[in-house]
């Protein structure tokens, strides 16, 4: 799918020029002649990046950018200001309004296309994370957009890689006003330093004396620990070719020497804000995954996870010629606990029951809440005899000590019934193993409960 670019300018000739340049590179181009139109198009999620003029009659580009970045629904859309204004103060003002970049007219086609491609790649990656995190909202995980809007981008951890004292001393002095800064003068050590610490931003000089700064940037992108850390490159004024190459390999932003201190701070804040936002998205995705496979009350894996993972464990046991045992457990008379002491007490029992299960099994064993008061424990490399010993130990640990409920105000006796089965032959369906454990559990309950029964020989 081609990236969708919104060009916002009140001068038709400028719009036509940008539209022709971008269309030639196979971007889908939309246009708006004023700020209100631009905001409306972005609100409908119709674009992947905005190229925004500043000098417009109804609402200038600074205000349009501020509104886009202040709205959680449009905050994540990259904005590039393309304008005839060229003073450092204008660039800083645009960056402080939330712009992701500030390009001064006339902009070369190569620079424009490289920047648009770089930012749209980042946008599409963010969109994928946002899409994966949609279920986070449904299960109560906080969406990060509102925090991102309020984030100042300050208080970050920055690694500055520069081997010229006159340069890194000045840059570190400026950055230290808002961030914690570590300086690495040995480029060959920089990657190890970056991987061992949790940095919010890498700032890399491309003018290193005996080392290719772009190679360092490329290595940072290929290493798992630093793959998502934004990179801000510092380059000399005549380094356009190298900067364009840098954008292709994953450099997020750049500054040309002599470096304006306010622009350095503004671009650093932008990158740190984005890093925090994408980190929040990744955390939400991870939380969603964990919640999808974990029982919220007990913290054990849920039935969905058990049924899928049990197939893998059974296949591994068959391939290795190792035994696999399965234990199905049921809390005796659990309904009477809920009826007599309340559902809160029942929840207390389930939580404590999960704790005692964890204490009674090995790290390689898989414990799951199968549903209600039923639990399943899968034990790799375990025969029926050993599984019976583990089950009996667990039964005694449950029956031997009363369960505290109502925050310790009451203590009640609890017992369990357990059914055991084993994987009998290579390629046997796991449903058959579960069925035999369920039959053994039924026998345990029928024979008086508070006992362990193994499958029939």
């Amino acid at each position: 799918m081609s990236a969708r670019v919104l060009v916002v300018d009140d001068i038709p000739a400028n719009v036509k020029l940008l539209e022709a340049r971008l269309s030639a590179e196979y971007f889908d181009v939309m246009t708006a002649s004023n700020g209100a139109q631009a905001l409306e198009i972005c609100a409908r999620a119709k674009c992947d990046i905005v190229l925004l003029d500043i000098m417009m009659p109804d609402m200038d580009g600074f205000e349009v950018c501020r509104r886009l970045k202040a709205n959680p629904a449009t905050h994540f859309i990259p904005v590039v200001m393309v304008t005839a204004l060229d003073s450092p103060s204008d660039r800083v003002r645009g960056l402080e309004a939330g712009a992701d970049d500030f390009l001064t007219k006339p902009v070369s086609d190569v620079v424009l296309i490289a920047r648009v491609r770089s930012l749209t790649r980042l946008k599409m990656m963010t969109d994928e994370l946002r899409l994966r995190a949609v279920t986070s909202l449904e299960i109560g995980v906080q969406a990060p957009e509102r925090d991102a809007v309020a984030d100042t981008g300050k208080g970050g951890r920055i690694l500055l890689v520069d081997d010229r004292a006159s340069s890194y001393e000045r840059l570190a002095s400026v950055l230290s006003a808002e961030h914690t800064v570590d300086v690495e003068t040995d480029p060959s050590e920089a990657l190890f330093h970056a991987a061992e610490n949790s940095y919010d931003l890498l700032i890399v000089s491309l003018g290193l004396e005996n080392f290719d700064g772009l190679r360092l940037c490329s290595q940072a992108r290929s290493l798992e620990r630093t793959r998502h850390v934004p990179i801000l490159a510092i380059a000399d004024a005549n380094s356009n070719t190298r900067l364009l190459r840098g954008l292709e390999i994953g450099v997020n932003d750049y500054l040309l020497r002599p470096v304006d201190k306010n622009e350095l701070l503004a671009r650093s804040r932008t990158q740190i804000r984005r890093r925090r936002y994408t980190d929040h998205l990744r955390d939400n995705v991870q939380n969603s995954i964990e919640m999808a496979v974990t029982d919220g009350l007990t913290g054990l894996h849920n039935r969905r996870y058990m049924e899928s993972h049990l197939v893998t464990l059974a296949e591994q046991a068959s391939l290795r010629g190792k035994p696999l045992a399965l234990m199905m457990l049921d809390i005796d008379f659990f309904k009477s606990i809920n009826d007599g002491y309340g559902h809160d007490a029942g929840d207390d029992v389930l939580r404590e029951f999960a704790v005692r299960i964890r204490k009674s099994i090995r790290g390689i064993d898989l414990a799951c809440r199968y549903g209600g008061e039923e639990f399943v424990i899968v034990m790799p490399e375990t025969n029926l005899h050993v599984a019976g010993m583990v089950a009996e130990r667990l039964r005694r640990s449950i029956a031997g000590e009363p369960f505290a409920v109502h925050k310790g105000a009451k203590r009640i006796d609890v017992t369990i019934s357990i059914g055991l089965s084993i994987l009998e032959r290579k390629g046997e369906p796991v449903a058959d193993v579960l069925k035999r454990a369920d039959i053994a559990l039924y026998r345990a309950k029928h024979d008086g409960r508070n006992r362990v029964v193994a499958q029939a020989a």
Side-chain angles (χ1 to χ4, degrees):
M1 178 179 174
S2 178
R4 299 161 299 179
V5 183
L6 174 61
V7 176
V8 187
D9 199 316
D10 63 324
I11 300 176
N14 291 343
V15 173
K16 290 295 183 183
L17 180 60
L18 284 174
E19 187 174 13
R21 289 177 175 178
L22 294 162
S23 296
E25 297 295 330
Y26 304 103
F27 291 105
D28 290 336
V29 183
M30 297 170 291
T31 63
S33 60
N34 58 61
Q37 286 181 8
L39 292 172
E40 193 273 333
I41 291 171
C42 291
R44 289 188 281 117
K46 294 293 185 180
C47 63
D48 295 305
I49 187 170
V50 180
L51 301 185
L52 179 62
D53 185 36
I54 290 179
M55 307 302 292
M56 294 186 293
D58 63 332
M59 184 190 310
D60 68 24
F62 295 124
E63 180 60 23
V64 174
C65 187
R66 273 192 290 269
R67 294 193 186 189
L68 286 173
K69 295 300 183 179
N71 183 351
T74 57
H75 170 82
F76 51 87
I77 301 174
V79 176
V80 178
M81 291 189 166
V82 183
T83 176
L85 301 177
D86 62 354
S87 72
S89 62
D90 290 322
R91 287 199 300 273
V92 171
R93 186 180 174 194
L95 293 166
E96 289 182 341
D100 296 85
D101 205 352
F102 190 104
L103 300 179
T104 302
K105 297 176 183 176
V107 182
S108 78
D109 289 358
V110 176
V111 171
L112 174 68
I113 299 304
R115 205 67 183 104
V116 170
R117 281 179 176 155
S118 173
L119 287 169
T120 51
R121 278 198 304 267
L122 182 63
K123 164 69 161 48
M124 289 176 179
M125 179 198 73
T126 304
D127 282 349
E128 185 176 350
L129 281 173
R130 293 177 67 249
L131 183 62
R132 291 181 183 179
V134 164
T135 53
S136 302
L137 300 177
E138 299 171 0
I139 58 180
V141 178
Q142 178 70 33
E145 281 80 8
R146 296 196 179 277
D147 288 340
V149 168
D151 191 356
T152 63
K154 297 181 180 180
R157 290 197 65 199
I158 297 175
L159 177 62
L160 172 60
V161 185
D162 196 341
D163 56 6
R164 288 174 13 201
S166 60
S167 173
Y168 67 70
E169 287 174 358
R170 177 174 181 271
L171 296 176
S173 176
V174 172
L175 293 165
S176 296
E178 296 182 355
H179 310 283
T180 300
V181 183
D182 293 337
V183 176
E184 180 54 72
T185 59
D186 184 354
S188 61
E189 294 293 323
L191 194 62
F192 299 104
H193 196 168
E196 291 170 358
N197 296 276
S198 180
Y199 288 106
D200 299 302
L201 176 64
L202 303 181
I203 299 180
V204 179
S205 170
L206 299 189
L208 299 169
E209 186 173 352
N210 296 310
F211 200 94
D212 186 349
L214 285 181
R215 183 168 299 280
L216 176 60
C217 296
S218 177
Q219 290 171 340
R221 282 290 166 264
S222 65
L223 191 65
E224 179 65 29
R225 294 288 300 276
T226 56
R227 182 167 298 157
H228 303 298
V229 181
I231 301 173
L232 174 62
I234 307 289
D236 295 327
N238 59 352
S239 302
N240 273 353
T241 301
R242 284 174 58 73
L243 284 173
L244 294 175
R245 182 66 179 140
L247 292 173
E248 290 176 1
I249 64 176
V251 169
N252 299 81
D253 201 357
Y254 62 86
L255 275 168
L256 298 178
R257 300 184 192 275
V259 174
D260 178 82
K261 66 177 184 179
N262 292 318
E263 187 173 356
L264 171 64
L265 289 172
R267 290 187 185 272
S268 297
R269 288 194 295 265
T270 296
Q271 295 304 320
I272 290 171
R273 278 197 300 266
R274 183 181 291 132
R275 165 65 190 268
R276 290 169 176 167
Y277 174 61
T278 55
D279 279 355
H280 280 310
L281 284 176
R282 288 189 184 92
D283 288 346
N284 279 10
V285 170
Q286 184 60 36
N287 288 338
S288 300
I289 293 171
E290 290 177 1
M291 289 183 179
V293 300
T294 304
D295 174 60
L297 179 64
T298 64
L300 300 177
H301 289 298
N302 60 20
R303 179 171 181 167
R304 178 194 302 173
Y305 180 85
M306 185 276 294
E307 289 178 340
S308 62
H309 196 54
L310 178 55
V311 172
T312 302
L313 292 175
E315 289 174 352
Q316 290 176 348
S318 295
L319 287 172
R320 297 171 183 171
K322 300 289 186 179
L324 178 77
L326 191 144
M327 184 189 307
M328 188 168 283
L329 311 88
D330 185 271
I331 299 176
D332 297 329
F333 304 111
F334 186 73
K335 184 176 183 300
S336 66
I337 295 175
N338 280 331
D339 292 344
Y341 299 93
H343 287 277
D344 287 348
D347 289 348
D348 289 340
V349 168
L350 290 171
R351 279 190 287 264
E352 175 61 22
F353 183 56
V355 170
R356 297 192 193 185
I357 285 178
R358 289 193 189 95
K359 290 179 179 179
S360 299
I361 63 175
R362 305 164 300 177
I364 64 170
D365 297 332
L366 174 67
C368 307
R369 185 180 181 191
Y370 197 60
E373 66 273 23
E374 279 194 336
F375 295 78
V376 170
I377 300 173
V378 184
M379 294 172 285
E381 301 185 18
T382 305
N383 59 34
L384 196 59
H385 174 70
V386 174
M389 294 172 59
V390 175
E392 184 59 34
R393 182 175 69 233
L394 177 57
R395 186 198 65 77
R396 288 197 302 268
S397 79
I398 300 301
E401 182 180 350
F403 281 55
V405 299
H406 298 155
K407 297 182 179 180
K410 295 181 180 178
R411 299 177 71 82
I412 59 177
D413 292 324
V414 176
T415 63
I416 59 172
S417 300
I418 302 175
L420 296 176
S421 66
I422 59 169
L423 183 71
E424 293 186 331
R425 64 185 185 277
K426 185 175 181 179
E428 181 182 19
V430 293
D432 292 354
V433 187
L434 278 167
K435 181 65 174 177
R436 288 199 300 273
D438 189 44
I439 292 171
L441 173 62
Y442 176 80
R443 283 180 48 211
K445 295 169 71 172
H446 182 267
D447 291 348
R449 293 181 169 82
N450 189 24
R451 66 192 62 225
V452 177
V453 172
Q455 66 181 56

